Coordinates of all heavy atoms in Angstrom, one line a residue:
M24 N 119.5 116.4 121.8 CA 120.5 115.5 121.6 C 120.4 114.8 120.2 O 119.3 114.5 119.8 CB 120.5 114.5 122.7 CG 121.7 113.5 122.6 SD 121.8 112.7 124.2 CE 122.7 111.2 123.7
T25 N 121.5 114.6 119.6 CA 121.5 113.9 118.3 C 121.1 112.5 118.4 O 121.6 111.8 119.3 CB 122.9 114.1 117.6 OG1 123.2 115.5 117.6 CG2 122.9 113.5 116.2
Q26 N 120.4 111.9 117.5 CA 119.9 110.6 117.5 C 120.9 109.6 116.8 O 121.4 110.0 115.7 CB 118.5 110.4 116.9 CG 117.4 111.2 117.7 CD 117.3 110.7 119.1 OE1 117.2 109.5 119.3 NE2 117.2 111.6 120.0
R27 N 121.1 108.5 117.3 CA 121.9 107.5 116.7 C 121.2 106.9 115.4 O 119.9 107.0 115.4 CB 122.1 106.3 117.6 CG 123.1 106.5 118.7 CD 123.3 105.3 119.6 NE 124.0 104.3 118.8 CZ 124.8 103.4 119.3 NH1 125.1 103.5 120.6 NH2 125.4 102.5 118.6
L28 N 121.9 106.4 114.5 CA 121.3 105.8 113.3 C 120.5 104.6 113.7 O 120.9 103.9 114.6 CB 122.4 105.4 112.3 CG 123.2 106.5 111.7 CD1 124.3 105.9 110.7 CD2 122.4 107.5 110.9
T29 N 119.5 104.4 113.0 CA 118.7 103.1 113.1 C 119.4 102.0 112.5 O 120.4 102.2 111.7 CB 117.3 103.3 112.5 OG1 117.4 103.4 111.1 CG2 116.5 104.5 113.1
D30 N 119.0 100.8 112.7 CA 119.6 99.6 112.1 C 119.5 99.7 110.6 O 120.4 99.3 109.8 CB 119.0 98.3 112.6 CG 119.4 98.0 114.1 OD1 120.4 98.6 114.5 OD2 118.7 97.2 114.7
A31 N 118.3 100.2 110.1 CA 118.1 100.3 108.6 C 119.1 101.3 108.0 O 119.6 101.1 107.0 CB 116.6 100.7 108.4
E32 N 119.2 102.5 108.7 CA 120.2 103.5 108.3 C 121.6 103.0 108.2 O 122.4 103.2 107.3 CB 120.1 104.7 109.1 CG 118.8 105.5 109.0 CD 118.6 106.6 110.0 OE1 118.9 106.4 111.2 OE2 118.0 107.6 109.6
R33 N 122.0 102.2 109.3 CA 123.3 101.6 109.3 C 123.5 100.6 108.2 O 124.6 100.6 107.5 CB 123.6 100.9 110.6 CG 123.8 101.8 111.8 CD 124.0 101.0 113.1 NE 125.2 100.2 113.0 CZ 126.4 100.7 113.4 NH1 126.5 101.9 113.8 NH2 127.4 99.9 113.3
A34 N 122.5 99.8 107.9 CA 122.6 98.9 106.8 C 122.8 99.6 105.4 O 123.4 99.0 104.5 CB 121.3 98.0 106.8
A35 N 122.3 100.8 105.3 CA 122.3 101.5 104.0 C 123.7 102.3 103.9 O 123.9 102.9 102.8 CB 121.2 102.5 103.9
L36 N 124.5 102.3 104.9 CA 125.7 103.1 104.8 C 126.6 102.8 103.6 O 127.2 103.7 103.0 CB 126.5 103.0 106.1 CG 125.9 103.8 107.3 CD1 126.7 103.4 108.6 CD2 126.0 105.2 107.0
P37 N 126.9 101.5 103.2 CA 127.8 101.3 102.1 C 127.3 102.0 100.8 O 128.1 102.5 100.0 CB 127.7 99.8 101.9 CG 127.4 99.3 103.3 CD 126.4 100.3 103.9
T38 N 126.0 102.2 100.6 CA 125.5 102.9 99.5 C 125.5 104.4 99.7 O 125.8 105.2 98.8 CB 124.0 102.4 99.2 OG1 124.1 101.0 99.0 CG2 123.5 103.0 97.9
A39 N 125.1 104.8 101.0 CA 125.0 106.2 101.3 C 126.4 106.9 101.3 O 126.4 108.1 100.9 CB 124.4 106.3 102.7
V40 N 127.4 106.2 101.7 CA 128.8 106.8 101.7 C 129.8 105.9 101.2 O 130.5 105.2 101.9 CB 129.1 107.3 103.2 CG1 128.4 108.6 103.5 CG2 128.8 106.3 104.2
P41 N 129.9 105.8 99.9 CA 130.8 104.9 99.2 C 132.3 105.1 99.7 O 132.7 106.2 99.9 CB 130.7 105.2 97.7 CG 129.4 105.9 97.6 CD 129.1 106.6 98.9
G42 N 133.0 104.0 99.9 CA 134.4 104.1 100.3 C 134.6 104.1 101.8 O 135.7 103.9 102.3
W43 N 133.5 104.3 102.5 CA 133.6 104.3 104.0 C 133.2 102.9 104.5 O 132.4 102.2 103.9 CB 132.7 105.4 104.6 CG 133.2 106.8 104.2 CD1 133.0 107.4 103.0 CD2 133.9 107.7 105.0 NE1 133.5 108.7 103.1 CE2 134.1 108.8 104.3 CE3 134.4 107.6 106.3 CZ2 134.8 109.9 104.8 CZ3 135.1 108.7 106.9 CH2 135.3 109.8 106.1
A44 N 133.7 102.6 105.7 CA 133.4 101.3 106.3 C 133.0 101.6 107.8 O 133.4 102.6 108.4 CB 134.6 100.4 106.3
V45 N 132.2 100.7 108.3 CA 131.7 100.8 109.7 C 132.5 99.8 110.6 O 132.6 98.6 110.3 CB 130.2 100.5 109.8 CG1 129.7 100.6 111.2 CG2 129.4 101.5 108.9
A46 N 133.0 100.3 111.7 CA 133.6 99.5 112.7 C 132.6 99.5 113.9 O 132.0 100.5 114.2 CB 134.9 100.0 113.2
L47 N 132.3 98.3 114.5 CA 131.4 98.2 115.5 C 131.9 98.6 116.9 O 131.2 99.1 117.8 CB 130.8 96.8 115.6 CG 130.1 96.3 114.3 CD1 129.6 94.9 114.5 CD2 128.9 97.3 114.1
N48 N 133.2 98.4 117.1 CA 133.7 98.7 118.4 C 135.1 99.4 118.2 O 136.0 98.7 117.9 CB 133.9 97.5 119.3 CG 134.2 97.8 120.7 OD1 134.1 98.9 121.1 ND2 134.6 96.8 121.4
P49 N 135.2 100.7 118.3 CA 134.1 101.6 118.7 C 133.2 101.9 117.5 O 133.6 101.5 116.3 CB 134.8 102.9 119.1 CG 136.1 102.8 118.3 CD 136.5 101.4 118.2
D50 N 132.1 102.4 117.7 CA 131.0 102.7 116.7 C 131.5 103.9 115.8 O 131.1 105.0 116.2 CB 129.7 102.9 117.4 CG 128.5 102.8 116.4 OD1 128.7 102.2 115.4 OD2 127.5 103.4 116.8
V51 N 132.2 103.6 114.8 CA 132.8 104.6 113.9 C 132.6 104.3 112.4 O 132.5 103.1 112.0 CB 134.3 105.0 114.2 CG1 134.5 105.4 115.6 CG2 135.1 103.8 113.9
L52 N 132.6 105.4 111.7 CA 132.6 105.3 110.2 C 134.0 105.7 109.8 O 134.5 106.8 110.3 CB 131.6 106.2 109.6 CG 131.3 106.2 108.2 CD1 130.7 104.9 107.7 CD2 130.2 107.3 107.9
H53 N 134.8 104.9 109.1 CA 136.1 105.3 108.8 C 136.5 105.1 107.3 O 135.9 104.3 106.6 CB 137.1 104.5 109.7 CG 137.1 103.0 109.5 ND1 137.9 102.4 108.5 CD2 136.4 102.1 110.0 CE1 137.7 101.1 108.6 NE2 136.7 100.9 109.4
R54 N 137.5 105.8 106.9 CA 138.0 105.7 105.5 C 139.5 106.1 105.5 O 139.9 107.0 106.3 CB 137.3 106.6 104.6 CG 137.7 106.4 103.1 CD 136.8 107.1 102.2 NE 137.4 106.9 100.8 CZ 136.9 107.4 99.7 NH1 135.8 108.1 99.8 NH2 137.4 107.2 98.6
D55 N 140.3 105.3 104.7 CA 141.7 105.6 104.5 C 141.9 106.2 103.2 O 141.3 105.7 102.2 CB 142.5 104.3 104.6 CG 142.5 103.7 106.0 OD1 142.6 104.5 107.0 OD2 142.3 102.5 106.2
F56 N 142.7 107.3 103.1 CA 142.9 108.0 101.9 C 144.4 107.9 101.6 O 145.2 108.0 102.5 CB 142.5 109.5 102.0 CG 141.1 109.6 102.3 CD1 140.6 109.7 103.6 CD2 140.1 109.8 101.2 CE1 139.3 109.8 103.9 CE2 138.8 110.0 101.5 CZ 138.3 110.0 102.8
K57 N 144.8 107.8 100.3 CA 146.2 107.8 100.0 C 146.4 108.8 98.9 O 145.7 108.9 97.9 CB 146.7 106.4 99.5 CG 148.2 106.3 99.2 CD 148.6 104.9 98.9 CE 150.1 104.9 98.7 NZ 150.5 103.5 98.3
F58 N 147.5 109.7 99.0 CA 147.8 110.7 98.1 C 149.2 110.5 97.6 O 149.9 109.7 98.0 CB 147.6 112.1 98.8 CG 146.2 112.3 99.4 CD1 145.9 112.0 100.7 CD2 145.2 112.8 98.5 CE1 144.6 112.1 101.1 CE2 144.0 112.9 99.0 CZ 143.6 112.6 100.3
T59 N 149.6 111.4 96.6 CA 150.9 111.2 96.0 C 152.1 111.6 97.0 O 153.1 111.0 96.9 CB 151.1 112.1 94.7 OG1 150.7 113.4 95.0 CG2 150.2 111.5 93.7
D60 N 151.8 112.6 97.9 CA 152.9 113.0 98.8 C 152.2 113.7 100.0 O 151.0 113.8 100.1 CB 153.9 113.9 98.1 CG 153.3 115.1 97.5 OD1 152.2 115.6 97.9 OD2 153.9 115.7 96.6
F61 N 153.1 114.1 100.9 CA 152.6 114.8 102.2 C 151.9 116.1 101.9 O 150.9 116.3 102.5 CB 153.8 115.0 103.1 CG 153.5 115.8 104.3 CD1 152.9 115.1 105.4 CD2 153.7 117.1 104.5 CE1 152.6 115.8 106.6 CE2 153.4 117.8 105.6 CZ 152.8 117.1 106.7
T62 N 152.4 116.8 101.0 CA 151.7 118.1 100.7 C 150.3 117.9 100.2 O 149.4 118.7 100.6 CB 152.6 118.9 99.6 OG1 153.9 119.1 100.1 CG2 151.9 120.2 99.3
E63 N 150.1 117.0 99.3 CA 148.7 116.7 98.9 C 147.8 116.2 100.0 O 146.7 116.6 100.1 CB 148.8 115.7 97.7 CG 147.4 115.5 97.0 CD 147.5 114.5 95.9 OE1 148.5 114.5 95.2 OE2 146.5 113.8 95.6
A64 N 148.4 115.3 100.8 CA 147.6 114.8 102.0 C 147.2 116.0 102.9 O 146.1 116.1 103.4 CB 148.4 113.8 102.7
W65 N 148.2 116.9 103.2 CA 148.0 118.0 104.1 C 147.0 119.0 103.5 O 146.1 119.5 104.2 CB 149.3 118.7 104.4 CG 149.1 119.6 105.5 CD1 148.9 121.0 105.4 CD2 149.2 119.3 106.9 NE1 148.8 121.5 106.7 CE2 149.0 120.5 107.6 CE3 149.3 118.1 107.6 CZ2 148.9 120.6 109.0 CZ3 149.3 118.2 109.0 CH2 149.1 119.4 109.7
G66 N 147.0 119.2 102.2 CA 146.0 120.1 101.6 C 144.6 119.5 101.7 O 143.7 120.2 102.0
F67 N 144.5 118.2 101.5 CA 143.2 117.5 101.7 C 142.7 117.7 103.2 O 141.5 118.1 103.4 CB 143.3 116.0 101.4 CG 142.2 115.2 101.7 CD1 141.0 115.3 101.0 CD2 142.2 114.3 102.8 CE1 139.9 114.5 101.3 CE2 141.1 113.5 103.1 CZ 140.0 113.6 102.4
M68 N 143.6 117.5 104.1 CA 143.2 117.7 105.5 C 142.8 119.1 105.8 O 141.8 119.3 106.6 CB 144.4 117.3 106.4 CG 144.6 115.8 106.4 SD 146.0 115.3 107.5 CE 145.3 115.6 109.1
S69 N 143.4 120.1 105.2 CA 143.0 121.5 105.3 C 141.6 121.7 104.8 O 140.8 122.4 105.5 CB 144.0 122.4 104.6 OG 145.2 122.3 105.2
R70 N 141.3 121.1 103.7 CA 139.9 121.3 103.1 C 138.9 120.5 104.0 O 137.8 121.1 104.3 CB 139.9 120.7 101.7 CG 140.7 121.6 100.7 CD 140.5 121.3 99.3 NE 140.8 119.9 99.0 CZ 142.1 119.4 98.7 NH1 143.1 120.3 98.8 NH2 142.3 118.2 98.4
V71 N 139.3 119.4 104.6 CA 138.4 118.7 105.5 C 138.2 119.5 106.8 O 137.0 119.6 107.3 CB 138.9 117.3 105.8 CG1 138.1 116.6 106.9 CG2 138.9 116.4 104.6
A72 N 139.2 120.1 107.2 CA 139.1 120.9 108.5 C 138.1 122.1 108.3 O 137.3 122.4 109.2 CB 140.4 121.5 108.8
L73 N 138.1 122.7 107.1 CA 137.1 123.7 106.8 C 135.7 123.2 106.8 O 134.7 123.8 107.3 CB 137.4 124.4 105.5 CG 138.7 125.2 105.5 CD1 139.1 125.7 104.1 CD2 138.7 126.4 106.5
L74 N 135.5 122.0 106.2 CA 134.2 121.3 106.2 C 133.7 121.0 107.6 O 132.6 121.2 108.0 CB 134.2 120.0 105.4 CG 134.3 120.1 103.9 CD1 134.4 118.7 103.3 CD2 133.0 120.8 103.4
A75 N 134.7 120.5 108.4 CA 134.3 120.1 109.8 C 133.8 121.4 110.6 O 132.9 121.3 111.3 CB 135.5 119.5 110.5
E76 N 134.5 122.5 110.4 CA 134.0 123.7 111.0 C 132.7 124.1 110.5 O 131.8 124.5 111.3 CB 135.0 124.9 110.8 CG 136.3 124.8 111.6 CD 135.9 124.9 113.1 OE1 135.4 125.9 113.5 OE2 136.3 124.0 113.9
K77 N 132.4 124.0 109.2 CA 131.2 124.4 108.6 C 130.0 123.5 109.2 O 129.0 124.0 109.5 CB 131.2 124.2 107.1 CG 129.9 124.5 106.4 CD 130.1 124.3 104.9 CE 128.7 124.4 104.2 NZ 128.8 124.2 102.8
F78 N 130.3 122.2 109.3 CA 129.3 121.3 109.8 C 129.3 121.2 111.4 O 128.4 120.6 111.9 CB 129.6 119.9 109.3 CG 129.2 119.7 107.9 CD1 130.1 120.0 106.8 CD2 127.9 119.2 107.5 CE1 129.7 119.9 105.5 CE2 127.6 119.0 106.2 CZ 128.5 119.4 105.2
D79 N 130.2 121.9 112.0 CA 130.4 121.8 113.5 C 130.4 120.3 113.9 O 129.7 119.9 114.9 CB 129.3 122.6 114.2 CG 129.6 122.8 115.7 OD1 130.8 122.8 116.1 OD2 128.6 122.9 116.5
H80 N 131.2 119.6 113.2 CA 131.3 118.1 113.5 C 132.8 117.7 113.1 O 133.1 117.8 111.9 CB 130.3 117.3 112.7 CG 130.2 115.9 113.1 ND1 129.9 115.5 114.4 CD2 130.3 114.8 112.4 CE1 129.9 114.2 114.4 NE2 130.1 113.7 113.2
H81 N 133.5 117.3 114.1 CA 135.0 117.2 113.9 C 135.4 115.8 113.9 O 135.0 115.0 114.8 CB 135.7 118.1 114.9 CG 135.3 119.5 114.8 ND1 134.2 120.0 115.6 CD2 135.7 120.5 114.1 CE1 134.1 121.3 115.3 NE2 135.0 121.6 114.4
P82 N 136.3 115.3 113.0 CA 136.7 114.0 112.9 C 137.8 113.7 113.8 O 138.5 114.6 114.3 CB 137.2 113.8 111.4 CG 137.7 115.2 111.1 CD 136.8 116.1 111.8
D83 N 138.0 112.4 114.1 CA 139.2 111.9 114.7 C 140.0 111.4 113.5 O 139.5 110.8 112.6 CB 139.0 110.7 115.6 CG 138.2 111.0 116.8 OD1 138.4 112.1 117.3 OD2 137.4 110.2 117.3
W84 N 141.3 111.9 113.4 CA 142.0 111.5 112.2 C 143.5 111.5 112.5 O 144.0 111.9 113.5 CB 141.7 112.5 111.0 CG 142.0 114.0 111.3 CD1 142.5 114.6 112.4 CD2 141.7 115.0 110.4 NE1 142.5 115.9 112.2 CE2 142.1 116.2 111.0 CE3 141.2 115.1 109.1 CZ2 141.9 117.4 110.4 CZ3 141.1 116.3 108.5 CH2 141.4 117.5 109.1
S85 N 144.2 110.9 111.5 CA 145.7 110.8 111.6 C 146.3 110.9 110.2 O 145.6 110.7 109.2 CB 146.1 109.5 112.2 OG 145.7 108.4 111.4
N86 N 147.5 111.4 110.2 CA 148.2 111.5 108.9 C 149.6 111.0 109.1 O 150.3 111.3 110.0 CB 148.3 113.0 108.6 CG 149.3 113.4 107.5 OD1 150.3 114.1 107.8 ND2 149.1 112.9 106.3
V87 N 150.0 110.1 108.1 CA 151.4 109.6 108.0 C 151.8 109.8 106.6 O 151.2 109.2 105.7 CB 151.5 108.2 108.5 CG1 152.9 107.7 108.3 CG2 151.0 108.0 109.9
W88 N 152.7 110.7 106.4 CA 153.2 111.1 105.1 C 152.1 111.3 104.1 O 151.5 112.4 104.0 CB 154.3 110.1 104.6 CG 155.0 110.7 103.3 CD1 155.7 111.9 103.2 CD2 155.0 110.1 102.1 NE1 156.1 112.0 102.0 CE2 155.7 110.9 101.2 CE3 154.5 108.9 101.5 CZ2 156.0 110.7 99.9 CZ3 154.8 108.6 100.2 CH2 155.5 109.5 99.4
N89 N 151.8 110.3 103.2 CA 150.8 110.5 102.1 C 149.5 109.9 102.4 O 148.6 109.8 101.6 CB 151.4 110.0 100.8 CG 151.5 108.5 100.8 OD1 151.7 107.8 101.8 ND2 151.5 107.9 99.6
R90 N 149.3 109.4 103.7 CA 148.1 108.7 104.0 C 147.3 109.5 105.1 O 147.9 110.1 106.0 CB 148.4 107.3 104.6 CG 149.0 106.4 103.5 CD 149.5 105.1 104.0 NE 150.6 105.5 104.9 CZ 151.1 104.7 105.9 NH1 150.6 103.5 106.0 NH2 152.1 105.1 106.6
V91 N 146.0 109.5 105.0 CA 145.1 110.1 106.0 C 144.1 109.1 106.3 O 143.5 108.5 105.5 CB 144.5 111.4 105.4 CG1 143.5 112.0 106.4 CG2 145.5 112.4 105.0
R92 N 143.8 108.9 107.6 CA 142.8 108.1 108.1 C 141.8 109.0 108.8 O 142.2 109.7 109.7 CB 143.3 107.0 109.0 CG 142.1 106.1 109.6 CD 142.7 105.0 110.4 NE 141.6 104.1 110.9 CZ 141.1 103.1 110.2 NH1 141.6 102.8 109.0 NH2 140.1 102.3 110.7
I93 N 140.5 108.9 108.5 CA 139.5 109.7 109.1 C 138.5 108.7 109.8 O 138.0 107.7 109.1 CB 138.8 110.6 108.1 CG1 139.7 111.6 107.5 CG2 137.6 111.3 108.8 CD1 139.1 112.5 106.4
E94 N 138.1 109.0 111.0 CA 137.1 108.3 111.7 C 136.0 109.3 112.2 O 136.4 110.3 112.7 CB 137.7 107.6 112.9 CG 138.7 106.5 112.6 CD 139.2 105.8 113.8 OE1 139.1 106.3 114.9 OE2 139.8 104.7 113.6
L95 N 134.8 108.9 111.9 CA 133.7 109.8 112.3 C 132.8 109.0 113.3 O 132.5 107.9 113.1 CB 132.9 110.2 111.0 CG 133.6 110.9 109.9 CD1 132.7 111.0 108.7 CD2 134.1 112.2 110.4
T96 N 132.4 109.7 114.3 CA 131.4 109.2 115.2 C 130.7 110.5 115.9 O 131.4 111.5 115.9 CB 131.9 108.3 116.3 OG1 130.9 107.6 117.0 CG2 132.9 108.9 117.2
T97 N 129.6 110.3 116.4 CA 128.9 111.4 117.1 C 128.9 111.1 118.6 O 128.1 110.3 119.1 CB 127.5 111.6 116.6 OG1 127.5 111.8 115.2 CG2 126.8 112.8 117.2
H98 N 129.8 111.7 119.3 CA 130.0 111.4 120.7 C 128.8 111.6 121.6 O 128.5 110.8 122.4 CB 131.2 112.1 121.3 CG 132.5 111.8 120.6 ND1 133.2 110.6 120.7 CD2 133.3 112.5 119.7 CE1 134.3 110.6 120.0 NE2 134.3 111.7 119.4
D99 N 128.1 112.7 121.3 CA 126.9 113.0 122.2 C 125.7 112.0 121.9 O 124.8 111.9 122.6 CB 126.5 114.4 122.1 CG 126.0 114.9 120.8 OD1 126.2 114.2 119.8 OD2 125.4 116.0 120.7
A100 N 125.8 111.3 120.7 CA 124.8 110.3 120.4 C 125.2 108.9 120.8 O 124.4 108.0 120.8 CB 124.5 110.3 118.9
G101 N 126.5 108.8 121.2 CA 127.0 107.5 121.6 C 127.2 106.5 120.4 O 127.2 105.3 120.6
G102 N 127.4 107.1 119.2 CA 127.6 106.3 118.0 C 127.4 107.1 116.8 O 127.5 108.3 116.8
L103 N 127.0 106.4 115.7 CA 126.9 107.1 114.4 C 125.5 107.8 114.3 O 124.5 107.3 114.8 CB 127.0 106.1 113.3 CG 128.4 105.4 113.2 CD1 128.3 104.3 112.2 CD2 129.4 106.4 112.8
S104 N 125.6 108.9 113.6 CA 124.4 109.7 113.4 C 124.4 110.3 112.0 O 125.3 110.1 111.2 CB 124.3 110.9 114.4 OG 125.2 111.9 114.1
Q105 N 123.3 111.0 111.7 CA 123.2 111.7 110.4 C 124.4 112.7 110.2 O 124.8 112.9 109.1 CB 121.9 112.4 110.2 CG 120.7 111.4 110.0 CD 120.9 110.7 108.6 OE1 121.3 111.2 107.6 NE2 120.4 109.5 108.6
K106 N 124.9 113.2 111.3 CA 126.0 114.2 111.1 C 127.2 113.5 110.5 O 127.9 114.1 109.7 CB 126.4 114.7 112.5 CG 125.5 115.7 113.1 CD 126.1 116.1 114.5 CE 125.2 117.2 115.1 NZ 125.8 117.8 116.3
D107 N 127.4 112.2 110.8 CA 128.6 111.5 110.3 C 128.4 111.2 108.8 O 129.3 111.3 108.0 CB 128.8 110.2 111.0 CG 129.0 110.4 112.5 OD1 129.9 111.1 112.8 OD2 128.2 109.9 113.3
I108 N 127.2 110.9 108.4 CA 126.8 110.7 107.0 C 127.0 111.9 106.2 O 127.6 111.9 105.1 CB 125.4 110.1 106.8 CG1 125.3 108.7 107.4 CG2 125.0 110.1 105.4 CD1 123.9 108.2 107.5
Q109 N 126.5 113.0 106.7 CA 126.6 114.3 106.0 C 128.1 114.7 105.8 O 128.5 115.2 104.7 CB 125.9 115.4 106.8 CG 124.4 115.2 106.8 CD 123.7 116.1 107.8 OE1 124.3 116.8 108.6 NE2 122.4 116.2 107.6
L110 N 128.9 114.6 106.9 CA 130.3 115.0 106.7 C 131.1 114.0 105.8 O 131.9 114.4 105.0 CB 131.0 115.0 108.1 CG 132.4 115.5 108.1 CD1 132.6 116.9 107.4 CD2 133.0 115.6 109.5
A111 N 130.8 112.7 105.9 CA 131.4 111.7 105.0 C 131.1 112.1 103.5 O 132.0 112.0 102.7 CB 131.0 110.3 105.4
R112 N 129.8 112.4 103.3 CA 129.5 112.8 101.9 C 130.2 114.0 101.4 O 130.7 114.1 100.3 CB 128.0 113.0 101.8 CG 127.2 111.7 101.8 CD 125.7 112.0 101.7 NE 124.9 110.8 101.6 CZ 123.6 110.7 102.0 NH1 123.0 111.7 102.4 NH2 123.0 109.5 101.8
A113 N 130.3 115.0 102.3 CA 131.0 116.2 101.9 C 132.5 116.0 101.7 O 133.1 116.5 100.8 CB 130.8 117.3 103.0
I114 N 133.1 115.1 102.5 CA 134.5 114.7 102.3 C 134.6 114.0 101.0 O 135.6 114.3 100.2 CB 135.0 113.9 103.5 CG1 135.1 114.7 104.7 CG2 136.4 113.2 103.1 CD1 135.3 113.9 106.0
N115 N 133.7 113.1 100.7 CA 133.8 112.4 99.4 C 133.7 113.4 98.2 O 134.4 113.2 97.2 CB 132.7 111.3 99.2 CG 133.0 110.0 100.0 OD1 134.0 109.8 100.5 ND2 132.0 109.2 100.0
A116 N 132.9 114.4 98.4 CA 132.7 115.4 97.3 C 134.0 116.1 97.0 O 134.2 116.6 95.9 CB 131.6 116.4 97.6
L117 N 134.9 116.2 98.0 CA 136.2 116.9 97.8 C 137.1 116.1 96.8 O 138.0 116.7 96.1 CB 137.0 117.0 99.1 CG 136.5 117.9 100.2 CD1 137.3 117.8 101.4 CD2 136.4 119.3 99.7
L118 N 136.8 114.8 96.6 CA 137.6 114.0 95.8 C 137.1 113.9 94.3 O 137.7 113.3 93.5 CB 137.7 112.6 96.3 CG 138.3 112.5 97.7 CD1 138.2 111.1 98.3 CD2 139.7 113.0 97.7
D119 N 135.9 114.5 94.1 CA 135.3 114.4 92.8 C 135.9 115.4 91.8 O 136.5 116.4 92.1 CB 133.8 114.7 92.8 CG 133.0 113.6 93.5 OD1 133.5 112.5 93.6 OD2 131.9 113.8 94.0

């Protein structure tokens, strides 16, 4: 079973995954993205979907026209884990 992040690991999240924020209830890492239009947002989601399959870790997300909201949590750990950090970093790399 995947282990939840320690308090120290949680405290380091703002540095570890810039642009992402932590919500305590539910225990998720989330980020909002804004693009120029729907096509660009959808293309981004397609790239994230491929990453999610590669990492075998799938986000909760939504899309409204040019905006995408992604929430990450590790359900079998009951909260945040290293899987969430790894996927958030890979998603951030798509924007570089």
